Amino acid sequence: MTDTTNTARDYCRNIGRELDALDFILAHSGRDLDDVPAEAYAEAINELETDADLNACEIVAQYLNETALEMKILRTDDNQRTRVEILRKCGGPHCEITRDSNDGYIVAVTTYNGHDQATIRNSYRELANYLDEIAQ
């Protein structure tokens, strides 16, 4: 594999870890922190380089404000289906995060580096629900 392919793939995996952290924090939102595995919560906060005193919605908003260059929300005429496209601006190759409401709980991350690209598609139940709410 070429270095550019490795760069696109590695960056895609890094963004995937950030989305893992966002989904974890959203999943534990509103719970007493005594019920949340402290080490896992600390790892999620560390992955996102954010403040543990923020609530889950503030953490997601901060993440989007600091990393998203553009966010598009597309709807069908009957508002039954939505699509959220987030273009990242933060370092590294060009990156798109996509959520389609017709795609279960899947959120896709695609990175481009030169002519190479990498895509991961993972199920992020809480993050998908959050993005669907934004789209409404």
Side-chain angles (χ1 to χ4, degrees):
M1 265 186 214
T2 65
D3 289 340
T4 54
T5 301
N6 289 337
T7 300
R9 185 186 64 227
D10 292 345
Y11 191 66
C12 201
R13 288 178 181 162
N14 289 341
I15 302 305
R17 283 193 293 274
E18 291 174 4
L19 298 184
D20 288 338
L22 286 173
D23 195 63
F24 178 84
I25 288 169
L26 285 167
H28 293 87
S29 175
R31 290 187 183 178
D32 184 348
L33 286 181
D34 292 337
D35 297 335
V36 178
E39 186 175 319
Y41 194 82
E43 286 176 15
I45 293 295
N46 187 52
E47 180 67 42
L48 297 170
E49 299 176 0
T50 191
D51 185 353
D53 293 332
L54 298 176
N55 70 40
C57 291
E58 291 171 327
I59 289 171
V60 176
Q62 179 185 45
Y63 177 82
L64 291 174
N65 286 333
E66 291 180 358
T67 65
L69 176 63
E70 178 180 290
M71 184 160 65
K72 289 184 195 174
I73 298 174
L74 309 166
R75 294 180 192 88
T76 57
D77 288 339
D78 60 3
N79 279 336
Q80 294 299 310
R81 291 183 47 207
T82 60
R83 180 178 175 95
V84 177
E85 298 175 350
I86 301 167
L87 174 62
R88 274 186 58 108
K89 66 176 180 180
C90 230
H94 176 89
C95 176
E96 299 168 357
I97 300 169
T98 308
R99 163 72 186 134
D100 189 327
S101 65
N102 198 39
D103 205 8
Y105 297 114
I106 300 297
V107 177
V109 177
T110 303
T111 56
Y112 304 89
N113 190 36
H115 294 289
D116 295 319
Q117 81 172 47
T119 300
I120 58 169
R121 294 172 42 85
N122 283 328
S123 180
Y124 298 106
R125 181 182 196 109
E126 301 302 324
L127 181 59
N129 287 335
Y130 183 88
L131 293 174
D132 288 347
E133 285 179 28
I134 289 174
Q136 297 301 320

